[in-house]
Structures are given as structure tokens and as C-alpha cells.
Amino acid sequence: DGLADMVGSRYGTRKYCFGGSVKSIEGSIGMFVGSVVLSLKLVWVLSWGVPAWNVGAFVLPVLGFALGATIIEGLTPKNLDNWTIAIGVAAMMLIANAVAPGFWPYPII
């Protein structure tokens, strides 16, 4: 989320508004790319302690959750995105685990 603000402030020329919050396409792309890179890096580091984790198996779920987080961030009113992204991604993980455990076999509760 922080990368969205930095990229959007510096390079954001194509703006869109939702819920009183002005965002940019460039900032949203920064949010998506930052989410994917940071999440995969975190999975890679954590996989050192969990030999059963295959980082490659996390690529598709990370892409899906990062896309969802980016959409949530883009639709969230000003100053609420830190809450809505965390709650929204947790909800996506719960739903994915319940509906498609092959896609996301890791329960968060």
C-alpha cells in the first residue's frame, strides 16, 4: 500500500476517483507489483524454515490475492485502505481455503 502512494505521487498522471479518494492507475500498478514482489520474497524467506513449502506453488495465489488487494485499495475511501486491505485479503484467504483448498490449502485461523 505504501508503494502505491509513492508511485502514484511521483508518476501518477491518470487519475480516478472513488469514495472521495483520488487514486492513480500508476499507483495501483505500484500497489500490485509491490504486493507480488514483497509477498513472494516473504514466502521465499519463510520457506527456509518450512521445507514442505514450494515457493512456486505460491505464485498463483499471491497473484490472485495481490490483485484482490489492489482492487480493494482502489475502491476504498480515503484513510481506510490499511484496514480494508488487511480484512479483505484475510477474507479472500478464508474463502479460498473453504472453496478451493487446492488453490490455498493454508487456513489462517
Side-chain angles (χ1 to χ4, degrees), residues 43-89:
V43 168
W44 178 66
V45 168
L46 293 175
S47 71
W48 296 344
V50 185
W53 279 13
N54 173 5
V55 177
F58 283 89
V59 172
L60 188 59
V62 164
L63 289 170
F65 295 139
L67 179 61
T70 302
I71 292 169
I72 291 168
E73 193 267 342
L75 298 177
T76 300
K78 191 171 183 75
N79 298 325
L80 293 176
D81 54 357
N82 290 332
W83 287 96
T84 58
I85 292 168
I87 293 167
V89 171

Side-chain angles (χ1 to χ4, degrees), residues 14-47:
R14 292 173 284 213
K15 307 284 186 187
Y16 64 94
C17 298
F18 192 86
S21 182
V22 178
K23 313 274 181 157
S24 72
I25 299 294
E26 294 82 0
S28 293
I29 291 169
M31 165 75 182
F32 177 75
V33 171
S35 296
V36 170
V37 170
L38 184 62
S39 296
L40 289 176
K41 176 80 171 185
L42 186 61
V43 168
W44 178 66
V45 168
L46 293 175
S47 71

Side-chain angles (χ1 to χ4, degrees), residues 91-105:
M92 286 189 296
M93 289 177 167
L94 282 169
I95 293 167
N97 180 256
V99 175
F103 177 76
W104 187 251

